[in-house]
């Protein structure tokens, strides 16, 4: 019996996609630079169906890739040409909202913002807030350990997930963690969150709910350039103030946002900071005065304060739309994601502009300034010969700058297929080998999202370390023995 016939026996006809044109709908995620048409797409509606699909793949040694809403920006959900794409968007029920326990239990296809909408009537919300929170799924957030503007104060997805039900790469349905803050033993939950689909498929997620703050105040400060805005950011954190968010946009990203959503930011701004404070009213009032003073001392020429929630949303509108808005000023662009220490912001931003100028491309900077998580948008026109290659060169140089200044090649978008080749620049061979031993412990056959995260697959049956003689797969250029 073929894999397709096995799955036809498990699933309804409308849960299987084999038509070539319909398959092309799933050929990429949010990083459309990479495209692969999957051999088969399945749309399970229950955890048991996910397990059945994965079990069939394991028994037939067929690779599989899990996909949520497809908004990822690292090619993490890029299909395998000879594999099965498991789309979890139909597992979209909020199973429980438990305010007394400050927990919610949701399926992986639930949209991020829907969790907050379900919790708000009870006085709670879900803190991780990627810019795509209106369309990205919780399952995808778990896979990529997504963050968002407010991760400066509240942390990433891993800080808000206490339990998972997952399908392992051999098709078993197991639970990791639970409703309690911590469980004994090895932190398998922590290993799974952010593993980018290489350790299995999440089919149920238990998340923390956060109490709605008593007060929220949002400030927009305009500066002549990113040097001054970066200095203000460092000064705010150094003063002991930890805002819910500190976001920065440079002149080019402001131009794009104005073109797309008419956000009305101060004219002539070379950079803007969006600073949001939340918490007890007295604490927020004191912090607000301090932030206003520090922005002014570091060169803010105009400061706006949201008088109500409508004005707050207007301030955030430009930032939340920034990635898509860049399409108004450039036909093509690469979204990069790296991390540097806050104190290195002025130096690195200047160097990014220099590298861009050297290669004849433009870079728009919009990012989480509070924790140094950069999102440079490298602009180019794919119809102009050589521009795409120059943009890729600049994109790689930005990651090198991040590493050079003690940072990381990714903050929240993940490694996926896009950054796998940069992993050896950040980690030693021993580091990568140790990571792949963890992957092999979960997935000895290497069928769960193969080709992602690591530059070359590890042969799970091999002993770690270097050996004499080449393995046949190594000679064929398919795998590398570390």
């Amino acid at each position: 019996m073929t894999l397709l016939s096995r799955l036809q026996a498990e699933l309804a006809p409308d849960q299987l996609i084999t038509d070539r044109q319909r398959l092309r709908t799933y050929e990429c995620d949010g990083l459309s630079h990479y495209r692969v048409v999957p051999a088969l797409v399945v749309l399970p509606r229950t955890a048991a169906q996910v397990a059945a699909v994965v079990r069939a793949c394991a028994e037939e040694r067929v690779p599989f890739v899990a996909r949520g809403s497809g908004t990822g920006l690292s090619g993490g959900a890029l299909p395998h040409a000879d594999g099965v794409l498991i789309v979890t968007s139909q597992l979209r029920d909020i199973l429980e909202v438990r305010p007394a326990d400050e927990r919610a239990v949701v399926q992986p296809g639930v949209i991020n913002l829907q969790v907050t909408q379900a919790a708000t009537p009870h006085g709670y919300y879900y803190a991780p807030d990627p810019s795509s929170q209106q369309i990205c799924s919780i399952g995808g957030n778990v896979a990529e350990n997504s963050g968002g503007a407010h991760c400066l104060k509240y942390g990433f997805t891993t800080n808000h997930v206490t339990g998972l039900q997952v399908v392992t790469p051999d098709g078993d349905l197991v639970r990791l963690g639970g409703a309690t803050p911590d469980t004994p033993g090895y932190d398998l939950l922590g290993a799974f969150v952010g593993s980018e689909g290489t350790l299995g498929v999440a089919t149920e997620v238990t998340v923390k709910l956060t109490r709605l703050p008593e007060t929220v105040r949002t400030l927009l400060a305009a500066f002549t350039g990113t040097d001054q805005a970066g200095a203000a950011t460092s000064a705010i954190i150094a003063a002991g103030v930890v805002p819910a968010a500190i976001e920065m946009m440079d002149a080019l990203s402001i131009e794009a946002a104005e073109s797309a959503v008419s956000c009305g930011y101060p004219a002539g701004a070379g950079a803007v900071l969006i600073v949001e404070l939340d918490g007890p009213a007295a604490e927020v009032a004191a912090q607000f005065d301090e932030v206003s003073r520090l922005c002014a001392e570091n060169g803010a020429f105009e400061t706006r304060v949201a008088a109500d929630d409508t004005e707050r949303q207007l301030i955030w509108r430009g930032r939340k739309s920034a990635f898509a808005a860049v399409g108004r000023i450039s036909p093509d662009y690469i979204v990069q994601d790296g991390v540097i220490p806050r104190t290195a912001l002025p130096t690195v931003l200047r160097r990014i502009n220099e590298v861009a100028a050297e290669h004849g491309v433009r870079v728009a900077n919009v990012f989480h300034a509070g924790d140094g998580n950069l999102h440079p948008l490298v602009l180019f026109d794919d119809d102009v010969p050589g521009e795409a290659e120059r943009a890729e060169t600049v994109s790689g140089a930005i990651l090198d700058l991040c590493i050079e200044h003690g940072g990381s090649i990714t903050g929240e978008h993940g490694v996926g297929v896009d950054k796998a080749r940069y992993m050896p620049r950040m980690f030693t061979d021993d580091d990568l080998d140790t990571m792949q031993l963890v992957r092999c412990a979960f997935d000895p056959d290497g069928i769960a999202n193969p080709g992602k995260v690591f530059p070359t697959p590890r042969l799970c049956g091999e002993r770690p370390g270097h050996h004499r003689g080449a393995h046949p797969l190594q000679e064929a250029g398919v795998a590398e023995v570390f």
Side-chain angles (χ1 to χ4, degrees):
M1 183 180 289
T2 66
L3 176 64
L4 178 58
S5 60
R6 287 186 61 174
L7 296 181
Q8 286 172 331
E10 295 279 354
L11 304 172
D14 64 351
Q15 292 179 271
L16 294 164
I17 298 176
T18 57
D19 177 74
R20 178 76 179 181
Q21 290 305 311
R22 293 181 64 199
L23 288 173
R24 292 194 63 186
T25 303
Y26 301 93
E27 67 183 359
C28 67
D29 59 9
L31 188 66
S32 59
H33 187 63
Y34 300 95
R35 296 175 184 268
V36 175
V37 178
L40 175 66
V41 170
V42 298
L43 303 165
R45 298 190 180 110
T46 67
Q49 288 181 343
V50 175
V53 172
V54 173
R55 192 178 307 115
C57 288
E59 291 172 1
E60 301 291 338
R61 297 290 183 91
V62 173
F64 67 87
V65 176
R67 173 189 171 109
S69 295
T71 58
L73 293 168
S74 64
L78 187 73
H80 193 288
D82 299 316
V84 176
L85 186 68
I86 303 172
V87 180
T88 61
S89 57
Q90 294 194 16
L91 284 84
R92 49 176 179 252
D93 290 336
I94 296 177
L95 304 175
E96 295 181 78
V97 176
R98 304 201 303 264
D101 294 327
E102 298 186 326
R103 296 290 185 271
V105 182
V106 306
Q107 291 186 313
V110 169
I111 301 304
N112 176 291
L113 188 59
Q114 291 175 340
V115 182
T116 288
Q117 291 170 339
T120 297
H122 305 282
Y124 287 86
Y125 73 110
Y126 181 60
D129 61 337
S131 293
S132 58
Q133 69 178 145
Q134 293 183 341
I135 51 173
C136 66
S137 69
I138 292 296
N141 292 172
V142 168
E144 301 296 337
N145 190 23
S146 302
H150 293 81
C151 64
L152 172 63
K153 181 175 181 178
Y154 293 102
F156 290 76
T157 297
T158 190
N159 304 111
H160 297 270
V161 172
T162 64
L164 293 171
Q165 180 190 69
V166 306
V167 175
T168 64
D170 57 2
D172 289 338
L173 201 58
V174 302
R175 289 192 177 274
L176 307 176
T180 58
D182 197 8
T183 54
Y186 293 115
D187 186 14
L188 299 180
L189 176 68
F192 194 94
V193 178
S195 61
E196 303 191 31
T198 62
L199 306 184
V201 184
T203 52
E204 182 183 291
V205 186
T206 301
V207 301
K208 293 180 183 178
L209 299 178
T210 302
R211 172 70 72 175
L212 288 167
E214 179 184 358
T215 301
V216 179
R217 297 198 73 179
T218 305
L219 172 150
L220 176 74
F223 299 82
T224 55
T226 54
D227 280 10
Q228 294 81 6
T233 299
S234 295
I236 290 167
I237 302 298
V241 177
V242 182
I246 308 180
E247 299 290 294
M248 189 190 299
M249 298 172 65
D250 69 2
L252 198 52
S253 60
I254 294 169
E255 176 189 339
E258 292 289 357
S259 175
V261 298
S262 302
C263 48
Y265 289 167
V272 296
L273 282 185
I274 299 172
V275 184
E276 188 154 281
L277 302 160
D278 66 9
E283 176 183 293
V284 169
Q287 291 180 339
F288 182 81
D289 290 341
E290 182 78 350
V291 168
S292 298
R293 179 182 64 80
L294 291 170
C295 284
E297 287 180 358
N298 284 277
F301 66 82
E302 184 177 338
T303 300
R304 297 178 183 175
V305 181
D308 52 32
D309 194 56
T310 300
E311 290 190 7
R312 174 175 172 258
Q313 295 301 324
L314 185 59
I315 287 176
W316 276 106
R317 188 180 181 190
R319 169 60 185 90
K320 291 284 188 177
S321 69
F323 284 9
V326 168
R328 295 293 187 98
I329 62 173
S330 177
D332 303 285
Y333 59 94
I334 298 171
V335 180
Q336 198 46 277
D337 168 49
V339 183
I340 57 172
R342 282 184 296 268
T343 52
L345 279 172
T347 301
V348 172
L349 291 175
R350 280 197 302 270
R351 186 61 189 137
I352 288 174
N353 287 333
E354 291 169 0
V355 171
E358 290 167 7
H359 290 83
V361 300
R362 297 181 298 166
V363 175
N365 288 290
V366 50
F367 55 93
H368 312 310
D371 54 8
N373 186 187
L374 304 178
H375 292 315
L377 300 153
V378 185
L379 315 183
F380 67 99
D381 186 345
D382 203 22
D383 291 334
V384 178
E387 274 207 13
E389 291 75 15
R390 294 201 302 274
E392 285 283 358
T393 299
V394 171
S395 181
I398 290 171
L399 296 182
D400 287 336
L401 281 170
C402 291
I403 296 171
E404 178 186 330
H405 286 82
S408 168
I409 61 172
T410 182
E412 58 183 347
H413 293 175
V415 177
V417 69
D418 185 48
K419 296 183 181 178
R421 65 189 183 278
Y422 297 106
M423 289 287 276
R425 302 187 190 182
M426 186 170 176
F427 298 103
T428 67
D429 287 348
D430 287 342
D431 292 333
L432 293 171
D433 192 43
T434 301
M435 292 181 204
Q436 296 218 58
L437 285 173
V438 175
R439 182 174 186 171
C440 288
F442 279 80
D443 181 25
D445 292 328
I447 62 171
N449 209 10
K452 311 297 170 54
V453 182
F454 300 103
T456 51
R458 187 184 190 279
L459 303 171
C460 293
E462 299 289 328
R463 290 182 296 106
H466 295 278
H467 309 282
R468 288 188 175 182
H471 190 284
L473 291 180
Q474 186 182 15
E475 287 185 328
V478 174
E480 179 180 345
V481 180
F482 291 93

